[in-house]
Amino acid sequence: QVQLVESGGNSVQAGGSLRLSCAASGYTYSSECMAWFRQAPGTEREGLAQINSYGGTSYTESVKGRFTISKDSAKNTLYLQMNSLKPEDTAMYYCAADIGDGFCSWPISRRGFGHWGQGTQVTVAS
């Protein structure tokens, strides 16, 4: 079955950078939309960025210009490069996959994704 395993979460100072990874297995990495979400305690899970099978990307306004989503199809791995981190970026970060026609929908909604990783914690200190 589909498995998604995130890694790379850590504690950093404001202004710092982190790169999250999501290793995918259990399906052919060629017809999916993959995304990054985050969830802070007491808040809804927020879609941040997504990438389709053709490399097209889209971002929510709160991370545009600071975060970059990418993937390495040879390694079946999704990445999220996070720069200029702020304390409000503190959250559990999740990767998600929708396996279908390879296109993504907008907005980035958790309802569009049927496969999830277990999450990796990012903490940004002021």
Side-chain angles (χ1 to χ4, degrees):
Q1 72 269 20
V2 177
Q3 282 195 313
L4 304 173
V5 180
E6 302 96 333
S7 61
N10 212 330
S11 297
V12 296
Q13 294 291 318
S17 298
L18 281 175
R19 188 176 81 157
L20 306 183
S21 299
C22 173
S25 62
Y27 70 98
T28 302
Y29 203 83
S30 63
S31 59
E32 70 293 319
C33 171
M34 298 198 73
W36 287 99
F37 287 75
R38 69 184 178 192
Q39 188 169 19
T43 69
E44 295 291 318
R45 193 166 295 190
E46 175 189 19
L48 304 176
Q50 59 187 5
I51 185 167
N52 63 30
S53 287
Y54 311 97
T57 59
S58 52
Y59 298 88
T60 195
E61 206 58 40
S62 61
V63 303
K64 194 178 293 183
R66 297 190 299 126
F67 292 8
T68 302
I69 189 171
S70 63
K71 63 180 180 179
D72 184 334
S73 297
K75 296 182 178 180
N76 279 12
T77 301
L78 180 73
Y79 301 101
L80 185 68
Q81 177 67 43
M82 305 187 295
N83 299 327
S84 302
L85 283 162
K86 306 174 182 179
E88 52 263 44
D89 294 318
T90 295
M92 186 73 78
Y93 283 69
Y94 300 89
C95 72
D98 171 41
I99 300 167
D101 61 8
F103 291 99
C104 297
S105 300
W106 183 263
I108 309 171
S109 169
R110 64 181 301 177
R111 290 191 297 273
F113 295 87
H115 305 282
W116 295 86
Q118 83 290 346
T120 186
Q121 178 69 36
V122 172
T123 302
V124 184
S126 57

